[in-house]
Amino acid sequence: MPQVITNLKSFTVETFQNLVDRESAEANIEATVELAAASPEGLYYFMQRYAHFNGFAGSLVARLASSIGLSRDLFNQPGIPVVDRADRGLDIAAKVLAATIDEHADSGAQQVTHRTLAQATMQAIGDYAGLSDLQCNQIAQTPEWMNDIITDLVSGYQGKIGDLQALVTAVGFHIGSELLADREYSLIDKVVRHNNRGVGFDRYLQGKQVEIGGKRLSPWYWIVVHGKHNSTGVEAEHCQLAIDALNAIVEYRPESAATILEWASTGFIAFAQLQQRLFFQSKIELQTLKTRRLLESGAMGTLGSMNATFTSGDIHRTHALN
């Protein structure tokens, strides 16, 4: 938990960056993506898990914004004596809702959803890996560890109508999602494209487009619109808006800034821990997949065995045996 801050006027990105060990967290992310990028099949496994996790974001952010808006009587501007003119809950909700507008209709990609953009990315990687529809569906069988992570993701974003502490904690969770995702996507772009310029999947993507729902889409746009190597994407903007929402809560509530920060920090740290679980479990899955492929190759003595695909259930059961 952060120390109590006196004379605190507003929160910034740095307020929350200092709550986590960024160097260690980013090293874990980068190591996981490097392991994934080492093989086409591994890259598909990783991206399927990552896209599955992020596919809930738009709906969860919208629900949080709705919960804040439905609690508008909690947030009132001081100095306005008429109750019906004082509530500012929807102003706060709008700053949270901004993130989900892009999720549901990206202005830079023919107004398609970010879920559709993620599907374009996965389709391109699946084609690159030579995976059949059956193999893709086998990989899509959600392992138990992922179900647990999604349960905690939904819970963290939940908030509760009329419950100030729960709403502020959820806003902190949202800030964590936006702030940390900016670096996630940037590191994915760095490892998969920048570090492997002109080879592997980067070479495969040159001039490539994917058609989904009658629209031709760039298969890597989903990554770079959120965060790009040596640059930022929409996540940085969404993060600032989420912090603006938290500052507005301080303005429209009698609680101290230190109290609001304590509640928000609880949510932020919860998301940071969830993020690390996602990448840690993905790394274990990729390591298990790599080991299975090496064992197959040695047993069969042919390169063809490297193309066989185990289901995610097989890999999960291997974890249990270990």
Side-chain angles (χ1 to χ4, degrees):
M1 281 300 150
Q3 296 179 346
V4 175
I5 302 174
T6 58
N7 299 321
L8 182 64
K9 293 183 178 180
S10 63
F11 308 128
T12 65
V13 169
E14 289 72 24
T15 304
F16 292 93
Q17 284 180 332
N18 295 331
L19 295 177
V20 295
D21 182 352
R22 287 180 291 162
E23 184 176 348
S24 176
E26 291 183 10
N28 179 40
I29 293 170
E30 193 161 355
T32 301
V33 181
E34 285 175 348
L35 185 59
S39 74
E41 185 186 22
L43 185 59
Y44 188 86
Y45 260 93
F46 167 76
M47 201 61 74
Q48 194 283 332
R49 303 300 186 237
Y50 191 66
H52 181 74
F53 176 82
N54 283 285
F56 293 91
S59 299
L60 291 173
V61 173
R63 188 171 67 175
L64 174 58
S66 175
S67 294
I68 294 171
L70 290 169
S71 306
R72 68 173 187 260
D73 59 318
L74 291 180
F75 310 102
N76 295 287
Q77 184 171 345
I80 299 181
V82 179
V83 174
D84 284 339
R85 302 175 195 169
D87 63 80
R88 296 292 180 265
L90 284 177
D91 294 337
I92 298 170
K95 299 179 189 302
V96 174
L97 186 66
T100 199
I101 293 173
D102 286 329
E103 287 285 339
H104 287 88
D106 192 289
S107 60
Q110 306 176 65
Q111 301 297 320
V112 302
T113 68
H114 281 187
R115 176 59 183 168
T116 300
L117 293 173
Q119 290 169 336
T121 302
M122 289 190 294
Q123 182 173 322
I125 297 174
D127 292 345
Y128 167 66
L131 298 174
S132 67
D133 291 347
L134 175 61
Q135 289 171 317
C136 289
N137 285 336
Q138 289 174 331
I139 294 171
Q141 295 176 26
T142 310
E144 184 177 348
W145 62 262
M146 176 59 82
N147 288 331
D148 291 341
I149 285 175
I150 297 303
T151 296
D152 290 344
L153 176 68
V154 173
S155 176
Y157 254 115
Q158 185 81 33
K160 184 178 180 182
I161 297 171
D163 186 327
L164 177 67
Q165 183 173 348
L167 291 172
V168 172
T169 301
V171 170
F173 194 87
H174 174 51
I175 292 171
S177 173
E178 299 294 350
L179 178 60
L180 300 178
D182 177 59
R183 289 299 297 150
E184 286 174 14
Y185 284 100
S186 297
L187 289 169
I188 291 171
D189 187 50
K190 173 190 174 185
V191 172
V192 177
R193 302 294 305 275
H194 180 78
N195 290 358
N196 293 281
R197 183 68 64 196
V199 298
F201 187 58
D202 179 72
R203 181 177 181 180
Y204 177 82
L205 280 182
Q206 300 303 318
K208 183 75 64 178
Q209 286 194 317
V210 171
E211 184 171 333
I212 294 183
K215 296 182 177 180
R216 296 186 64 78
L217 304 170
S218 166
W220 202 242
Y221 180 81
W222 177 59
I223 299 296
V224 296
V225 73
H226 289 96
K228 189 175 182 179
H229 177 52
N230 285 335
S231 185
T232 59
V234 296
E235 301 291 16
E237 178 184 348
H238 296 164
C239 177
Q240 186 56 58
L241 285 168
I243 292 174
D244 290 345
L246 193 64
N247 284 322
I249 290 173
V250 173
E251 181 180 355
Y252 301 136
R253 286 296 308 180
E255 289 80 7
S256 69
T259 296
I260 298 298
L261 178 58
E262 180 180 354
W263 293 342
S265 296
T266 297
F268 181 90
I269 292 170
F271 184 86
Q273 293 171 339
L274 190 65
Q275 178 210 51
Q276 288 302 295
R277 279 172 55 197
L278 172 66
F279 282 91
F280 178 75
Q281 291 291 348
S282 293
K283 186 191 297 183
I284 291 176
E285 184 173 55
L286 290 166
Q287 289 170 336
T288 304
L289 177 67
K290 180 180 179 180
T291 299
R292 295 295 293 268
R293 290 294 172 264
L294 290 173
L295 289 173
E296 275 194 330
S297 178
M300 296 181 178
T302 64
L303 291 175
S305 66
M306 297 292 286
N307 294 324
T309 298
F310 282 80
T311 68
S312 60
D314 290 330
I315 292 176
H316 184 63
R317 285 191 290 275
T318 302
H319 294 172
L321 291 173
N322 291 336

PDB file of all heavy atoms in Angstrom, residues 109-129:
ATOM      1  N   ALA A 109     -10.212   1.359 -37.914  1.00  0.00           N
ATOM      2  CA  ALA A 109     -10.313   0.040 -38.553  1.00  0.00           C
ATOM      3  C   ALA A 109     -11.755  -0.263 -38.941  1.00  0.00           C
ATOM      4  O   ALA A 109     -12.331  -1.277 -38.542  1.00  0.00           O
ATOM      5  CB  ALA A 109      -9.772  -1.042 -37.628  1.00  0.00           C
ATOM      6  N   GLN A 110     -12.347   0.644 -39.689  1.00  0.00           N
ATOM      7  CA  GLN A 110     -13.678   0.441 -40.269  1.00  0.00           C
ATOM      8  C   GLN A 110     -14.759   0.194 -39.217  1.00  0.00           C
ATOM      9  O   GLN A 110     -15.739  -0.504 -39.460  1.00  0.00           O
ATOM     10  CB  GLN A 110     -13.655  -0.724 -41.267  1.00  0.00           C
ATOM     11  CG  GLN A 110     -12.593  -0.592 -42.354  1.00  0.00           C
ATOM     12  CD  GLN A 110     -12.546  -1.799 -43.250  1.00  0.00           C
ATOM     13  OE1 GLN A 110     -13.504  -2.080 -43.977  1.00  0.00           O
ATOM     14  NE2 GLN A 110     -11.433  -2.535 -43.220  1.00  0.00           N
ATOM     15  N   GLN A 111     -14.552   0.746 -38.020  1.00  0.00           N
ATOM     16  CA  GLN A 111     -15.531   0.661 -36.936  1.00  0.00           C
ATOM     17  C   GLN A 111     -15.770  -0.764 -36.438  1.00  0.00           C
ATOM     18  O   GLN A 111     -16.803  -1.044 -35.825  1.00  0.00           O
ATOM     19  CB  GLN A 111     -16.873   1.285 -37.370  1.00  0.00           C
ATOM     20  CG  GLN A 111     -16.787   2.745 -37.778  1.00  0.00           C
ATOM     21  CD  GLN A 111     -16.343   3.652 -36.631  1.00  0.00           C
ATOM     22  OE1 GLN A 111     -16.752   3.474 -35.496  1.00  0.00           O
ATOM     23  NE2 GLN A 111     -15.503   4.630 -36.949  1.00  0.00           N
ATOM     24  N   VAL A 112     -14.839  -1.669 -36.676  1.00  0.00           N
ATOM     25  CA  VAL A 112     -15.010  -3.030 -36.167  1.00  0.00           C
ATOM     26  C   VAL A 112     -14.608  -3.069 -34.696  1.00  0.00           C
ATOM     27  O   VAL A 112     -13.911  -2.183 -34.192  1.00  0.00           O
ATOM     28  CB  VAL A 112     -14.177  -4.057 -36.964  1.00  0.00           C
ATOM     29  CG1 VAL A 112     -14.558  -4.038 -38.433  1.00  0.00           C
ATOM     30  CG2 VAL A 112     -12.686  -3.824 -36.786  1.00  0.00           C
ATOM     31  N   THR A 113     -15.031  -4.102 -34.006  1.00  0.00           N
ATOM     32  CA  THR A 113     -14.697  -4.244 -32.592  1.00  0.00           C
ATOM     33  C   THR A 113     -13.260  -4.722 -32.437  1.00  0.00           C
ATOM     34  O   THR A 113     -12.672  -5.308 -33.352  1.00  0.00           O
ATOM     35  CB  THR A 113     -15.622  -5.258 -31.905  1.00  0.00           C
ATOM     36  OG1 THR A 113     -15.348  -6.571 -32.425  1.00  0.00           O
ATOM     37  CG2 THR A 113     -17.091  -4.918 -32.135  1.00  0.00           C
ATOM     38  N   HIS A 114     -12.709  -4.487 -31.258  1.00  0.00           N
ATOM     39  CA  HIS A 114     -11.359  -4.985 -30.994  1.00  0.00           C
ATOM     40  C   HIS A 114     -11.341  -6.502 -30.903  1.00  0.00           C
ATOM     41  O   HIS A 114     -10.307  -7.127 -31.162  1.00  0.00           O
ATOM     42  CB  HIS A 114     -10.810  -4.354 -29.716  1.00  0.00           C
ATOM     43  CG  HIS A 114     -10.319  -2.959 -29.934  1.00  0.00           C
ATOM     44  ND1 HIS A 114      -9.654  -2.234 -28.971  1.00  0.00           N
ATOM     45  CD2 HIS A 114     -10.390  -2.143 -31.024  1.00  0.00           C
ATOM     46  CE1 HIS A 114      -9.342  -1.036 -29.452  1.00  0.00           C
ATOM     47  NE2 HIS A 114      -9.789  -0.962 -30.689  1.00  0.00           N
ATOM     48  N   ARG A 115     -12.460  -7.103 -30.557  1.00  0.00           N
ATOM     49  CA  ARG A 115     -12.535  -8.564 -30.580  1.00  0.00           C
ATOM     50  C   ARG A 115     -12.364  -9.072 -32.013  1.00  0.00           C
ATOM     51  O   ARG A 115     -11.661 -10.055 -32.254  1.00  0.00           O
ATOM     52  CB  ARG A 115     -13.866  -9.041 -29.992  1.00  0.00           C
ATOM     53  CG  ARG A 115     -14.075 -10.554 -30.053  1.00  0.00           C
ATOM     54  CD  ARG A 115     -12.999 -11.318 -29.311  1.00  0.00           C
ATOM     55  NE  ARG A 115     -13.175 -12.765 -29.446  1.00  0.00           N
ATOM     56  CZ  ARG A 115     -12.266 -13.660 -29.096  1.00  0.00           C
ATOM     57  NH1 ARG A 115     -11.109 -13.268 -28.585  1.00  0.00           N
ATOM     58  NH2 ARG A 115     -12.496 -14.948 -29.248  1.00  0.00           N
ATOM     59  N   THR A 116     -12.984  -8.389 -32.963  1.00  0.00           N
ATOM     60  CA  THR A 116     -12.827  -8.775 -34.367  1.00  0.00           C
ATOM     61  C   THR A 116     -11.380  -8.604 -34.814  1.00  0.00           C
ATOM     62  O   THR A 116     -10.832  -9.449 -35.536  1.00  0.00           O
ATOM     63  CB  THR A 116     -13.750  -7.934 -35.259  1.00  0.00           C
ATOM     64  OG1 THR A 116     -15.111  -8.153 -34.871  1.00  0.00           O
ATOM     65  CG2 THR A 116     -13.592  -8.304 -36.726  1.00  0.00           C
ATOM     66  N   LEU A 117     -10.747  -7.522 -34.375  1.00  0.00           N
ATOM     67  CA  LEU A 117      -9.342  -7.301 -34.719  1.00  0.00           C
ATOM     68  C   LEU A 117      -8.461  -8.402 -34.133  1.00  0.00           C
ATOM     69  O   LEU A 117      -7.505  -8.860 -34.773  1.00  0.00           O
ATOM     70  CB  LEU A 117      -8.886  -5.936 -34.207  1.00  0.00           C
ATOM     71  CG  LEU A 117      -9.535  -4.719 -34.878  1.00  0.00           C
ATOM     72  CD1 LEU A 117      -9.121  -3.438 -34.153  1.00  0.00           C
ATOM     73  CD2 LEU A 117      -9.157  -4.644 -36.353  1.00  0.00           C
ATOM     74  N   ALA A 118      -8.775  -8.834 -32.910  1.00  0.00           N
ATOM     75  CA  ALA A 118      -8.024  -9.929 -32.296  1.00  0.00           C
ATOM     76  C   ALA A 118      -8.220 -11.223 -33.081  1.00  0.00           C
ATOM     77  O   ALA A 118      -7.283 -12.022 -33.240  1.00  0.00           O
ATOM     78  CB  ALA A 118      -8.466 -10.121 -30.847  1.00  0.00           C
ATOM     79  N   GLN A 119      -9.427 -11.431 -33.582  1.00  0.00           N
ATOM     80  CA  GLN A 119      -9.693 -12.621 -34.390  1.00  0.00           C
ATOM     81  C   GLN A 119      -8.882 -12.596 -35.681  1.00  0.00           C
ATOM     82  O   GLN A 119      -8.406 -13.641 -36.149  1.00  0.00           O
ATOM     83  CB  GLN A 119     -11.189 -12.715 -34.686  1.00  0.00           C
ATOM     84  CG  GLN A 119     -12.019 -13.055 -33.455  1.00  0.00           C
ATOM     85  CD  GLN A 119     -13.513 -12.890 -33.685  1.00  0.00           C
ATOM     86  OE1 GLN A 119     -13.945 -12.137 -34.553  1.00  0.00           O
ATOM     87  NE2 GLN A 119     -14.307 -13.587 -32.885  1.00  0.00           N
ATOM     88  N   ALA A 120      -8.694 -11.403 -36.245  1.00  0.00           N
ATOM     89  CA  ALA A 120      -7.866 -11.282 -37.449  1.00  0.00           C
ATOM     90  C   ALA A 120      -6.420 -11.661 -37.137  1.00  0.00           C
ATOM     91  O   ALA A 120      -5.748 -12.335 -37.933  1.00  0.00           O
ATOM     92  CB  ALA A 120      -7.939  -9.859 -37.992  1.00  0.00           C
ATOM     93  N   THR A 121      -5.937 -11.234 -35.977  1.00  0.00           N
ATOM     94  CA  THR A 121      -4.577 -11.587 -35.560  1.00  0.00           C
ATOM     95  C   THR A 121      -4.438 -13.095 -35.401  1.00  0.00           C
ATOM     96  O   THR A 121      -3.481 -13.708 -35.893  1.00  0.00           O
ATOM     97  CB  THR A 121      -4.226 -10.888 -34.232  1.00  0.00           C
ATOM     98  OG1 THR A 121      -4.352  -9.475 -34.391  1.00  0.00           O
ATOM     99  CG2 THR A 121      -2.810 -11.222 -33.797  1.00  0.00           C
ATOM    100  N   MET A 122      -5.402 -13.704 -34.714  1.00  0.00           N
ATOM    101  CA  MET A 122      -5.332 -15.150 -34.490  1.00  0.00           C
ATOM    102  C   MET A 122      -5.454 -15.932 -35.796  1.00  0.00           C
ATOM    103  O   MET A 122      -4.791 -16.956 -35.981  1.00  0.00           O
ATOM    104  CB  MET A 122      -6.419 -15.572 -33.505  1.00  0.00           C
ATOM    105  CG  MET A 122      -6.154 -15.125 -32.077  1.00  0.00           C
ATOM    106  SD  MET A 122      -7.296 -15.883 -30.898  1.00  0.00           S
ATOM    107  CE  MET A 122      -8.849 -15.144 -31.395  1.00  0.00           C
ATOM    108  N   GLN A 123      -6.300 -15.451 -36.704  1.00  0.00           N
ATOM    109  CA  GLN A 123      -6.449 -16.142 -37.984  1.00  0.00           C
ATOM    110  C   GLN A 123      -5.134 -16.136 -38.754  1.00  0.00           C
ATOM    111  O   GLN A 123      -4.728 -17.159 -39.321  1.00  0.00           O
ATOM    112  CB  GLN A 123      -7.548 -15.485 -38.821  1.00  0.00           C
ATOM    113  CG  GLN A 123      -7.791 -16.182 -40.159  1.00  0.00           C
ATOM    114  CD  GLN A 123      -8.992 -15.609 -40.899  1.00  0.00           C
ATOM    115  OE1 GLN A 123     -10.004 -15.264 -40.284  1.00  0.00           O
ATOM    116  NE2 GLN A 123      -8.887 -15.503 -42.214  1.00  0.00           N
ATOM    117  N   ALA A 124      -4.459 -14.989 -38.754  1.00  0.00           N
ATOM    118  CA  ALA A 124      -3.184 -14.893 -39.467  1.00  0.00           C
ATOM    119  C   ALA A 124      -2.136 -15.815 -38.844  1.00  0.00           C
ATOM    120  O   ALA A 124      -1.383 -16.491 -39.557  1.00  0.00           O
ATOM    121  CB  ALA A 124      -2.690 -13.451 -39.462  1.00  0.00           C
ATOM    122  N   ILE A 125      -2.081 -15.857 -37.516  1.00  0.00           N
ATOM    123  CA  ILE A 125      -1.097 -16.721 -36.850  1.00  0.00           C
ATOM    124  C   ILE A 125      -1.436 -18.189 -37.079  1.00  0.00           C
ATOM    125  O   ILE A 125      -0.546 -19.021 -37.297  1.00  0.00           O
ATOM    126  CB  ILE A 125      -1.027 -16.405 -35.346  1.00  0.00           C
ATOM    127  CG1 ILE A 125      -0.543 -14.972 -35.129  1.00  0.00           C
ATOM    128  CG2 ILE A 125      -0.088 -17.384 -34.635  1.00  0.00           C
ATOM    129  CD1 ILE A 125      -0.580 -14.517 -33.683  1.00  0.00           C
ATOM    130  N   GLY A 126      -2.729 -18.519 -37.050  1.00  0.00           N
ATOM    131  CA  GLY A 126      -3.139 -19.894 -37.319  1.00  0.00           C
ATOM    132  C   GLY A 126      -2.744 -20.339 -38.715  1.00  0.00           C
ATOM    133  O   GLY A 126      -2.263 -21.463 -38.915  1.00  0.00           O
ATOM    134  N   ASP A 127      -2.931 -19.453 -39.697  1.00  0.00           N
ATOM    135  CA  ASP A 127      -2.531 -19.771 -41.069  1.00  0.00           C
ATOM    136  C   ASP A 127      -1.012 -19.909 -41.168  1.00  0.00           C
ATOM    137  O   ASP A 127      -0.494 -20.805 -41.839  1.00  0.00           O
ATOM    138  CB  ASP A 127      -3.022 -18.683 -42.024  1.00  0.00           C
ATOM    139  CG  ASP A 127      -4.545 -18.664 -42.160  1.00  0.00           C
ATOM    140  OD1 ASP A 127      -5.189 -19.651 -41.761  1.00  0.00           O
ATOM    141  OD2 ASP A 127      -5.077 -17.643 -42.647  1.00  0.00           O
ATOM    142  N   TYR A 128      -0.311 -19.010 -40.496  1.00  0.00           N
ATOM    143  CA  TYR A 128       1.157 -19.049 -40.481  1.00  0.00           C
ATOM    144  C   TYR A 128       1.665 -20.364 -39.888  1.00  0.00           C
ATOM    145  O   TYR A 128       2.630 -20.960 -40.377  1.00  0.00           O
ATOM    146  CB  TYR A 128       1.668 -17.858 -39.677  1.00  0.00           C
ATOM    147  CG  TYR A 128       3.126 -17.903 -39.286  1.00  0.00           C
ATOM    148  CD1 TYR A 128       4.133 -17.833 -40.246  1.00  0.00           C
ATOM    149  CD2 TYR A 128       3.495 -17.987 -37.937  1.00  0.00           C
ATOM    150  CE1 TYR A 128       5.474 -17.854 -39.875  1.00  0.00           C
ATOM    151  CE2 TYR A 128       4.829 -18.004 -37.567  1.00  0.00           C
ATOM    152  CZ  TYR A 128       5.815 -17.938 -38.537  1.00  0.00           C
ATOM    153  OH  TYR A 128       7.136 -17.960 -38.165  1.00  0.00           O
ATOM    154  N   ALA A 129       0.984 -20.833 -38.846  1.00  0.00           N
ATOM    155  CA  ALA A 129       1.386 -22.075 -38.178  1.00  0.00           C
ATOM    156  C   ALA A 129       0.892 -23.317 -38.908  1.00  0.00           C
ATOM    157  O   ALA A 129       1.275 -24.440 -38.545  1.00  0.00           O
ATOM    158  CB  ALA A 129       0.865 -22.080 -36.737  1.00  0.00           C
TER     159      ALA A 129
END
